[in-house]
Amino acid sequence: MENRETLPSPEKEKLTTLMSLDGHIFPVEEAVIVELRAIRRLLPAAGDATIPISQVTGQILAKIIDYCRKHNDHKLNRLRDEEISAWDRHFVDVDEELLFDLLVASHFLEVKDLFYLTVTTVTDTMKTKSPAQVGNMDQLRNLFISNFRLD
Amino acid sequence: MDRENAPPPSRKLCHLPEELIEEILSRLAVKSLLRFRCVSKSWRCLMSSERFIRTQLEKSSNDPTAAHWQVLFNCGCGSKFSTSGLQQCSVRSFLDDPDVDPSPIDDPTNHHLTTGGYLVGNCDGLLCILKKPGSFFLWNLATRISMELPKIDLKITKSGFGHDDESGAYKVFVVGSTYAEEKREWIGKHYSSKTNSWKTVKLGCHAVGVGAEYISPNKWFRHMVWTARRVKENTGYEPAFMTRTIVNKRMKEFLQIMNNFVYVESLVSPVPQNL
């Protein structure tokens, strides 16, 4: 019998599990975690535990993970510059509410490129708005300030 | 990270945390900002805060697309505004087409500043204009606010305008002579926006005459001398004549050449705080 050397089984890529505010589970690879700078910092302490992202809903978290994956593809040269630009434009072509959710979440998770993409998009839409369309007397604003202050 | 929190309610721009609102607003054109002043008291407060004004200016000045920069026309350095008066167009449209026609400045209140004067300089969105014999004006074209400085009684030969980082004041520097026939004396004066007054400066004269150059130990004064020297080199320059060279230059070099003629729209106020 031949003594064949068995090839070592490929090491399973380390996945980190994230859980959104509404309980959705997202196993994500290293490449994505790298982009979520706020989460990256928690990694050494978290170990294998699921990381709760209590400020972000599943819908938004899914989109952000999608963004990170696509931009990782671009980094690895699987996508050309024009392709990623077009993809980005399509990505932010959403209704205002969703756009703001992405803005706040990308700021919270510290996904720098996405944050600036959403800020620029919001700035562009504001050029044609009137003060009445932009403003709204609402005391909830103060509630948000206390929610999102990162200590 | 409390899981008991309810899902965030629907978002409007003004519901966002203040730091994010600031991030967005600091990228808008001054025109838009002025429009949104009435949205809420806190927005109005934010926009008039010194920190926000600086942030907006910094973002605008470092913007590689020059979105909020303007080019001035008909204001050759050291010479009076041409008969068609001061005009402007955006840097973007100028780079797209150097033969673009500039537009008159839309500011009825300050229309008198667009004719019969000299452009002393511009800094942080403020223009300094001299109307001889001794009236200086600081004017923010984007916000349409202007202010006349206290008059000085000098026959003005050279003047410069800039920001003094040490004191945080905007300063106008003037070199001139008294009107006395017999004993004409060369005098230097500088205005500080912090004190809203003129002070006399000691000059060490090297050579006296039109286009004189002065040397002084004062660091800030040296900067103004440099400005005056540059002005002398560029006498008679008008942006419209520079089209061929400009088209081939990159943005930074463009700014270096244009210097006096390009300004960044800002919220900086010409009116001193203590007035």
Side-chain angles (χ1 to χ4, degrees):
Chain A
M1 217 152 52
E2 275 184 55
N3 199 1
R4 241 178 257 172
E5 241 184 78
T6 45
L7 292 164
S9 52
E11 211 173 297
K12 232 177 154 180
E13 191 181 344
K14 183 175 193 297
L15 294 179
T16 309
T17 312
L18 304 176
M19 181 165 68
S20 70
L21 167 72
D22 39 358
H24 294 285
I25 306 284
F26 297 90
V28 289
E29 56 278 19
E30 179 83 20
V32 170
I33 292 291
V34 158
E35 295 302 316
L36 308 175
R37 290 178 184 83
I39 304 305
R40 198 164 87 190
R41 279 200 294 276
L42 298 174
L43 274 190
D48 281 329
T50 300
I51 301 176
I53 319 270
S54 67
Q55 306 281 15
V56 185
T57 62
Q59 181 202 20
I60 304 299
L61 191 53
K63 283 201 75 113
I64 293 183
I65 291 170
D66 214 14
Y67 176 90
C68 296
R69 286 193 175 129
K70 210 63 180 190
H71 277 253
N72 184 51
D73 279 347
H74 177 238
K75 254 190 238 161
L76 299 175
N77 291 317
R78 290 192 206 132
L79 282 177
R80 292 192 310 273
D81 287 345
E82 315 87 70
E83 284 176 302
I84 197 74
S85 298
W87 191 88
D88 278 351
R89 270 196 303 275
H90 180 76
F91 185 79
V92 286
D93 186 18
V94 293
D95 67 57
E96 201 172 76
E97 215 173 287
L98 184 52
L99 186 60
F100 286 142
D101 282 338
L102 286 171
L103 191 151
V104 176
S106 61
H107 182 252
F108 175 71
L109 293 168
E110 295 177 44
V111 186
K112 207 165 128 201
D113 293 339
L114 178 56
F115 177 62
Y116 285 118
L117 176 62
T118 50
V119 166
T120 314
T121 310
V122 170
T123 310
D124 286 342
T125 60
M126 278 183 81
K127 284 178 191 159
T128 52
K129 288 211 154 104
S130 73
Q133 288 171 305
V134 156
N136 198 328
M137 306 287 233
D138 203 317
Q139 287 92 10
L140 282 169
R141 195 175 68 85
N142 295 322
L143 185 69
F144 274 92
I145 290 172
S146 56
N147 269 349
F148 285 90
R149 198 133 279 167
L150 305 173
D151 289 323
Chain B
M1 298 231 214
D2 183 9
R3 287 191 57 194
E4 309 315 316
N5 277 349
S10 76
R11 296 185 194 284
K12 286 230 176 261
L13 181 59
C14 50
H15 292 179
L16 298 184
E18 197 167 299
E19 60 180 307
L20 296 190
I21 293 178
E22 206 174 310
E23 188 74 51
I24 292 166
L25 292 182
S26 61
R27 288 154 202 273
L28 290 178
V30 170
K31 217 168 170 175
S32 299
L33 287 173
L34 297 177
R35 210 169 71 232
F36 291 133
R37 255 187 317 201
C38 61
V39 165
S40 75
K41 207 167 160 191
S42 64
W43 278 35
R44 196 187 189 104
C45 212
L46 173 70
M47 288 184 205
S48 36
S49 75
E50 190 61 39
R51 196 193 68 209
F52 180 78
I53 291 173
R54 290 286 138 196
T55 306
Q56 189 274 342
L57 175 64
E58 204 192 301
K59 287 218 158 81
S60 212
S61 305
N62 294 319
D63 172 17
T65 66
H68 307 311
W69 300 358
Q70 302 283 331
V71 186
L72 295 166
F73 284 80
N74 303 324
C75 52
C77 280
S79 52
K80 226 173 184 173
F81 297 161
S82 82
T83 43
S84 34
L86 197 60
Q87 295 188 318
Q88 71 179 0
C89 75
S90 74
V91 163
R92 286 253 56 90
S93 54
F94 182 71
L95 289 178
D96 285 341
D97 172 21
D99 291 322
V100 69
D101 283 325
S103 326
I105 293 174
D106 180 22
D107 187 348
T109 322
N110 291 309
H111 181 77
H112 61 288
L113 296 179
T114 61
T115 55
Y118 296 73
L119 178 66
V120 172
N122 87 72
C123 182
D124 295 350
L126 288 181
L127 259 67
C128 180
I129 290 176
L130 166 64
K131 283 204 148 190
K132 287 193 171 174
S135 298
F136 283 92
F137 296 84
L138 292 186
W139 182 21
N140 183 322
L141 270 72
T143 61
R144 296 184 179 178
I145 298 174
S146 71
M147 191 186 78
E148 182 172 358
L149 306 192
K151 283 197 171 58
I152 49 170
D153 190 22
L154 270 189
K155 203 166 160 201
I156 293 163
T157 307
K158 280 271 187 283
S159 50
F161 174 63
H163 183 256
D164 177 17
D165 292 333
E166 231 173 273
S167 62
Y170 288 96
K171 291 196 171 176
V172 180
F173 187 81
V174 155
V175 168
S177 56
T178 56
Y179 283 97
E181 281 298 326
E182 275 161 16
K183 197 189 170 206
R184 242 172 113 209
E185 234 190 302
W186 288 100
I187 293 178
K189 277 193 191 278
H190 83 255
Y191 165 90
S192 163
S193 62
K194 281 256 140 85
T195 60
N196 189 33
S197 63
W198 293 90
K199 280 202 176 76
T200 306
V201 169
K202 221 175 156 111
L203 295 181
C205 288
H206 211 58
V208 171
V210 176
E213 287 166 57
Y214 303 90
I215 297 151
S216 151
N218 181 312
K219 175 188 161 207
W220 178 80
F221 180 27
R222 246 203 295 274
H223 174 75
M224 280 297 150
V225 170
W226 177 85
T227 307
R229 206 176 291 152
R230 249 204 109 146
V231 165
K232 188 184 152 201
E233 278 165 25
N234 293 336
T235 302
Y237 242 157
E238 271 199 47
F241 298 155
M242 296 167 68
T243 56
R244 253 178 288 271
T245 47
I246 290 301
V247 168
N248 298 325
K249 301 265 182 192
R250 289 163 306 170
M251 190 63 73
K252 205 171 166 190
E253 288 161 18
F254 169 75
L255 276 190
Q256 275 172 352
I257 293 167
M258 298 304 267
N259 198 348
N260 247 7
F261 304 117
V262 174
Y263 76 90
V264 174
E265 290 176 346
S266 78
L267 288 172
V268 175
S269 174
V271 182
Q273 301 287 53
N274 46 18
L275 271 195

